[in-house]
Amino acid sequence: MTVAEFFGCAFLAFGPPLAMFAFTIAHDPIRIIILIAASFFWLVSLLLSSIIWFIVYPLRDKLVFGLIASVLIQECFRFLLYKTLRKTERGLQEVADITRISDYKHILAYVSGLGYGIISGAFSLINILADSVGPATMGLKAGSDIFFLISASQSLAMILLHTFWSVIFFNAIDLKNYYHIGYVVVSHLLVSCITLLNSSEFYVLTLITSYIVTIVTGILSYRVVGGNLTSFKRFITCK
């Protein structure tokens, strides 16, 4: 049962991102490089967050402090990633042979966001997946028996959200749309802070909130790249 739980949770969290990678990124080496670079930026943000948590000794036992600091640092590094990609955009465009600059900007945002999300989901779930293979399972004496499932579902939401956030964030900086920038930061703080309720096993509230934000953010990112109801219908009907 533990092995089945491991693979089930792993596929739930990383199945859709893996499909996104396989169909939209794997065929292009430039996109793979950008995805890896975005993952590196997230890792550096995590390192800096850890250093700040270690330095601010009085607040080490305050989980909310570390969480908020980490979110804000991640968004700062998302901005640094944006600046880096914009600096190299002309060269990347020539190598990738892209003719429409607007489309290429959205592609850069999408790929970097997916890289941000995958590494974030991996770090949040890898230890939990390691525990899921045994020698025991959750729900005996203490702990919820759906803890692994909830963790995998939350990781999937965060991966998708990072992808959507980057699309919105990059476009907002280009257009100087501070409302969208604020939305990205506030919604990131909201989804991250709501997970603190998991310690009290308010899993339903946490997941519902996370996926409502995911749906809203996905719709907003779709609108940002020029999508509308008509184009969505054409996509669904393969026209």
Side-chain angles (χ1 to χ4, degrees):
M1 180 63 185
T2 54
V3 175
E5 192 167 36
F6 169 84
F7 282 106
C9 291
F11 289 145
L12 172 61
F14 299 109
L18 180 61
M20 294 164 67
F21 172 81
F23 288 110
T24 63
I25 297 176
H27 67 280
D28 190 334
I30 300 300
R31 297 184 188 183
I32 295 175
I33 293 172
I34 294 173
L35 184 139
I36 295 173
S39 301
F40 174 76
F41 270 74
W42 188 90
L43 288 173
V44 176
S45 75
L46 179 63
L47 175 62
L48 183 58
S49 301
S50 302
I51 293 173
I52 292 177
W53 171 84
F54 182 80
I55 292 175
V56 187
Y57 181 80
L59 297 177
R60 280 190 194 177
D61 58 341
K62 302 296 183 181
L63 184 59
V64 65
F65 164 75
L67 187 149
I68 293 176
S70 178
V71 168
L72 295 178
I73 292 172
Q74 285 179 49
E75 294 305 327
C76 289
F77 271 83
R78 198 191 304 274
F79 176 74
L80 290 177
L81 178 59
Y82 162 85
K83 298 295 288 185
T84 301
L85 291 176
R86 288 295 181 262
K87 289 285 186 181
T88 60
E89 189 174 52
R90 184 177 297 275
L92 290 173
Q93 185 183 351
E94 292 176 356
V95 174
D97 193 24
I98 301 295
T99 56
R100 294 185 60 184
I101 297 177
S102 59
D103 289 346
Y104 189 57
K105 288 182 177 181
H106 294 317
I107 291 172
L108 287 178
Y110 163 76
V111 175
S112 61
L114 187 59
Y116 232 66
I118 289 176
I119 195 67
S120 172
F123 264 76
S124 65
L125 196 63
I126 192 68
N127 289 332
I128 296 174
L129 289 177
D131 290 338
S132 69
V133 296
T137 57
M138 297 293 293
L140 300 177
K141 292 186 178 180
S144 172
D145 57 356
I146 61 171
F147 173 74
F148 294 122
L149 183 62
I150 296 298
S151 299
S153 302
Q154 186 67 42
S155 295
L156 173 61
M158 288 303 297
I159 294 172
L160 295 176
L161 278 169
H162 272 297
T163 306
F164 300 149
W165 282 329
S166 286
V167 173
I168 297 169
F169 190 85
F170 283 27
N171 183 77
I173 296 177
D174 286 335
L175 301 180
K176 293 182 173 55
N177 189 331
Y178 300 109
Y179 292 108
H180 282 181
I181 295 174
Y183 172 81
V184 170
V185 176
V186 171
S187 59
H188 193 173
L189 285 169
L190 171 63
V191 174
S192 298
C193 290
I194 201 72
T195 59
L196 295 174
L197 297 177
N198 286 341
S199 60
S200 302
E201 298 190 4
F202 291 124
Y203 298 134
V204 174
L205 176 61
T206 299
L207 275 187
I208 290 177
T209 302
S210 297
Y211 276 91
I212 288 176
V213 175
T214 301
I215 293 171
V216 172
T217 308
I219 294 173
L220 180 58
S221 66
Y222 183 68
R223 295 292 300 274
V224 159
V225 300
N228 51 46
L229 185 59
T230 302
S231 61
F232 181 74
K233 289 180 179 179
R234 290 175 179 174
F235 169 76
I236 294 298
T237 57
C238 299
K239 292 183 179 179

